[in-house]
Amino acid sequence: DAKTTQPPSMDCAEGRAANLPCNHSTISGNEYVYWYRQIHSQGPQYIIHGLKNNETNEMASLIITEDRKSSTLILPHATLRDTAVYYCIVRTAYNQGGKLIFGQGTELSVKP
Amino acid sequence: DTAVSQTPKYLVTQMGNDKSIKCEQNLGHDTMYWYKQDSKKFLKIMFSYNNKELIINETVPNRFSPKSPDKAHLNLHINSLELGDSAVYFCASSPPSNVGRADTQYFGPGTRLTVL
């Protein structure tokens, strides 16, 4: 599975959009981009994933560049409860029993 | 509530002891995992089981022995505990591939193990 690079930390004002970048320049054609987050002292939580088209769900939007070498997770209206470590993971989908390789992630602090 | 649950939430024990952590999911999933998060917060896969069969054993010492009595349970037994085993252990599960989203993993709340 391809490696990812994320900034170690970011701040965001409450109510504003949080844009979290991820570089995955060695991604291969059958690999998806996944985002998970871990709120302090809790288990990781799935947010969203995509292959090449932009995706949106009730939690966030995922924008993937045309060359697929980078992506951005967007939390449209960040709240204090969105303070967490966000992990960008690249892997093949439908890999039954396949592992998630977590990097250091981005520690997002949402401030009032 | 439908979820992945783990017991106990906290476990404090002496070096050399043997302990078990239990994991149960009532989501109807057929793949389950154990991850370890160390003091530096790195999350790393230890094992995965699909339909009670071992899929991944990520070079974990053989003091760690997962046991899956059925698809809904994956327990972790640790023999001869060492100081370096202190960590938070997370159980996770994912749905069958024919359901779709087989790649999405749902995590339990974690078990904080402290070895003294």
Side-chain angles (χ1 to χ4, degrees):
Chain A
D1 294 330
K3 286 185 66 173
T4 62
T5 304
Q6 300 176 251
S9 63
M10 292 182 64
D11 289 342
C12 177
E14 190 178 17
R16 305 296 294 268
N19 298 290
L20 293 94
C22 179
N23 286 323
H24 31 79
S25 58
T26 60
I27 192 170
S28 59
N30 64 345
E31 287 182 319
Y32 284 65
V33 180
Y34 290 81
W35 284 83
Y36 281 75
R37 74 179 182 183
Q38 187 175 22
I39 296 170
H40 180 62
S41 297
Q42 297 183 21
Q45 177 190 25
Y46 166 83
I47 301 172
I48 198 168
H49 76 287
L51 182 63
K52 48 185 173 183
N53 296 326
N54 298 337
E55 302 287 344
T56 295
N57 64 19
E58 64 279 2
M59 289 182 70
S61 294
L62 174 60
I63 308 297
I64 302 174
T65 58
E66 196 168 333
D67 63 9
R68 303 210 320 125
K69 293 185 177 182
S70 66
S71 60
T72 302
L73 178 75
I74 301 172
L75 308 179
H77 305 286
T79 71
L80 298 179
R81 287 176 296 181
D82 292 321
T83 293
V85 179
Y86 287 77
Y87 297 98
C88 170
I89 299 167
V90 171
R91 58 169 291 202
T92 51
Y94 307 112
N95 183 3
Q96 197 71 29
K99 59 190 174 187
L100 292 173
I101 300 176
F102 288 86
Q104 283 192 300
T106 295
E107 188 163 4
L108 175 69
S109 296
V110 181
K111 299 182 186 297
Chain B
D1 287 344
T2 55
V4 180
S5 59
Q6 296 178 228
T7 53
K9 188 169 174 63
Y10 299 97
L11 184 53
V12 181
T13 189
Q14 299 286 335
M15 255 191 338
N17 285 350
D18 303 338
K19 291 292 179 187
S20 291
I21 305 172
K22 294 186 175 181
C23 178
E24 176 182 5
Q25 53 90 9
N26 59 5
L27 298 165
H29 294 171
D30 59 2
T31 305
M32 297 185 72
Y33 312 78
W34 277 109
Y35 286 82
K36 178 181 179 181
Q37 188 166 38
D38 62 24
S39 57
K40 295 183 179 176
K41 305 293 186 185
F42 283 110
L43 260 165
K44 193 171 179 184
I45 184 78
M46 298 175 70
F47 302 101
S48 74
Y49 269 72
N50 177 246
N51 282 318
K52 302 195 300 173
E53 285 193 29
L54 181 66
I55 304 294
I56 291 175
N57 180 342
E58 197 76 358
T59 59
V60 176
N62 57 14
R63 297 183 295 105
F64 291 78
S65 52
K67 286 187 171 52
S68 182
D70 54 58
K71 288 197 305 184
H73 296 84
L74 181 62
N75 303 323
L76 184 65
H77 189 76
I78 315 170
N79 289 327
S80 303
L81 277 156
E82 301 177 356
L83 294 177
D85 298 332
S86 295
V88 182
Y89 292 84
F90 289 99
C91 177
S93 70
S94 59
S97 56
N98 61 356
V99 172
R101 296 278 295 268
D103 43 327
T104 302
Q105 296 184 17
Y106 298 78
F107 285 78
T111 295
R112 182 174 293 277
L113 171 65
T114 303
V115 182
L116 303 175

